[in-house]
Amino acid sequence: MVLILLVSLYKLCRFFAMSGAERLVVPECVSQAGSWAGGGSSRERREVSPGVNTDVRAALDRILPALHQAIARAKQAAGPAELRRAIAEVFQLVEEAWGMPTLGRDVAKVLCDVIRLEGGLDLLLNLLYTAELETKCQAGKLLEQILVAENRDRIARIGLGVILNLAKERDVPQLAQSVSGILEHMFKHTEETCFQLISDGGLDAILYWCRWTDPIVLRHCAMALANCAMYGGQANQRLMIEKRTAEWLFPLVFSRDDELIRLHACLAITVLATNKEIEKEVERSGTLALVEPFIASLDPEQFACEMLGSSDNSQGRTADDLQRLVPLLDSSRLEAQCIAAFYLCTEAAIKTRQKKTKIFSETGATQSLKRVVCYSTSSTTSSLAKKVLRMIGEEVPRRILPTVPNWKPCEVQTWLQQIGFNKYCQSFLDHQVDGDILLRLTEEELQEDLGMDSSITRKRFFRELTELKTFANYSTCDRSNLADWLGGIDPRFRQYTYNLLTCGINRNFLHRVTEQQLQEDCHINTGFHRVRILTAAREMLHSPITLQTASNGTDVFISYRRSTGSQLASLLKVHLQLHGFSVFIDVEKLEAGKFEDKLIQSVMSARNFVLVLSPNALDKCMGDPECKDWVHKEIVTALNSGKNIIPVTDHFEWPDPETLPKDMRAVLKFNGIKWSHEYQEATIDKIIRFLQGRSSRDSSAGSENGLDCLSSPGQT
């Protein structure tokens, strides 16, 4: 025992001597080697609470004795090999608990608490601080599995420096999987913890790993960014944008290898987009445009089955997690509504099997889902919301026709029944209240003419009416698109559209209106709302109008084979954008009939043509004399337009020129640049040299992969 203590102290001293100046300070309770080396714990072992479920108690009675023994063996281990075996035993018990149907979360929660209370959590932190690489990896793997809320609290208090120091060792693949997983959990702790993680390099490490190809690391990265966006608050969301998170989410959403990666990355980008202060920066990244097409391609029930088969996701999400999705459902952004509805649909499938569907009403998701069904203009989102309501046994409301100004009295009656005001249907019918009158109702008319005497009832009614005004479609009477302009200032301001229109005010006239007129004639009673509307109107009047013409074009068009080149193409897009280049990459969002013309125009208007040559990228071009293949068409267009063509090869074998159609053989004359995942920045620098005026036909530019200098085509 003394020998172990001396060895640990020696490692600790050597650790400080080598890199103390670069590493974050770690509390003494973690760095003291002797604090965990003793054979027992000063705390009493935790017994099973008498209030737990009978099945949970039975599972704990079976698992806890083995857990106590494994923890004791870890604390008494005579050497690294014995220590790793004990940690592996604990890991196996925790993993088994998480995988239990229905009971898993409750059982695993107790095990995680026991590990903390018996000193196991502090032991793992110490090992991550002082042990050799193999033991660090084993300890990190277990720590990632036990980060329930109380354990995250403990890490935030005494161990965040340990985790952040490990994150600085970002080029060690063995550590990256567990450290990225730990960061994923810690980003959902508190806003203060998120800020510290961002400030001290945790977010930088996650964004660095976004360029990797390891699916486990990428899953953790996507979820870490989603957690940071959802739990970090608006100030940390601004920091995420400053570190170009929106751009680095693009390759994660664009990836075709793992749908979980794409889903979590979509969640992250949509949460960021709901922050009005950074909305424009998020839109400019191009990542947001990928969300709806991806969600529309998924089957939520099949996705839920895949999640149930994964130990990391089989228990679904907590009530706190689901609570954070409700604001997305209530958002004015269709992408946010869409992904929240999909996420809740997969959770509904999981919670239905666990018989825990009450969680949806407890978190307020049920009412928001019903609102989406009534008002959403997206068929995908509405369909997903209906599925959730059916799965959890809730009544599915009818969709409300959005053209409210054109409603007949019978449609007003349907709306009243749907919002629970059946008592007043006859009164509204007697007065022939149609859509036009409904949108202009005052509280006085509601009370005196329609008999709604209770002030509380009137407040409830106007709450529903405000929501109806906000989501209504005014296109039949709003030729200047005033509704969307008001929504651009604040989504809630769409409620004032009809008031303004009935006063003869459109976007072009709004800057002439006074605040008094907005209050007295248009009945906009909130003073701050009036000021914001008038300020925006005057800014619109004085802001310069910029016209973008097709002749401006983009700096770079990226051509790639979707089956093998998507990941590299998306990485190139991000790298080049971060260096100031405008980039076009098709994301399969164009309508089929317009796809070819749009794509050809994009090639012709771009100044450079980057051709991603991934494995078998040109195979479909062979035997394609009619030029039907998209990559073939893009290459021929680039050649005929005299574009600066830059081939970027990744495990690509150059074909025999005779096997390619004559109209594209000239592409083999251009120097290719070999892509290196390990040295991405150096490769990008070489590509940029080609983009900045030096033709890729010029072999002096530094490429080693062109065919000009070879007697016959060869492998790059």
Side-chain angles (χ1 to χ4, degrees), residues 502-551:
T502 52
C503 290
I505 299 171
N506 58 29
R507 283 178 62 178
N508 301 324
F509 189 75
L510 193 56
H511 66 278
R512 300 176 181 270
V513 177
T514 66
E515 186 176 352
Q516 184 179 359
Q517 289 169 328
L518 285 182
Q519 182 177 12
E520 295 177 359
D521 299 337
C522 305
H523 307 293
I524 301 178
N525 297 319
T526 305
F528 185 60
H529 289 187
R530 296 194 299 270
V531 170
R532 288 188 62 188
I533 290 170
L534 290 176
T535 301
R538 287 158 189 159
E539 287 176 353
M540 177 181 66
L541 180 66
H542 297 296
S543 61
I545 299 174
T546 56
L547 297 175
Q548 287 201 351
T549 61
S551 60

Side-chain angles (χ1 to χ4, degrees), residues 35 224 269 284 355 376 401 428 474 507 613 639 647:
S35 64
I269 197 67
R284 279 197 294 270
K355 299 180 180 178
S376 179
L401 292 174
F428 274 69
Y474 301 98
R507 283 178 62 178
L613 294 175
L639 288 169

Side-chain angles (χ1 to χ4, degrees), residues 17 117 347 369 628:
L117 293 172
E347 286 296 317
L369 286 164
K628 292 183 177 180

Side-chain angles (χ1 to χ4, degrees), residues 386-436:
K386 288 177 184 177
K387 280 186 179 180
V388 180
L389 292 171
R390 290 191 188 103
M391 281 192 279
I392 64 178
E394 291 283 344
E395 182 183 355
V396 179
R398 291 174 56 186
R399 184 170 184 270
I400 292 174
L401 292 174
T403 52
V404 182
N406 297 340
W407 278 6
K408 303 293 188 292
C410 61
E411 289 161 332
V412 174
Q413 296 289 298
T414 302
W415 177 72
L416 287 170
Q417 293 166 10
Q418 198 151 309
I419 64 173
F421 280 77
N422 307 55
K423 177 181 175 180
Y424 300 96
C425 283
Q426 190 59 48
S427 178
F428 274 69
L429 189 60
D430 290 343
H431 288 82
Q432 286 292 292
V433 176
D434 56 16
D436 170 62

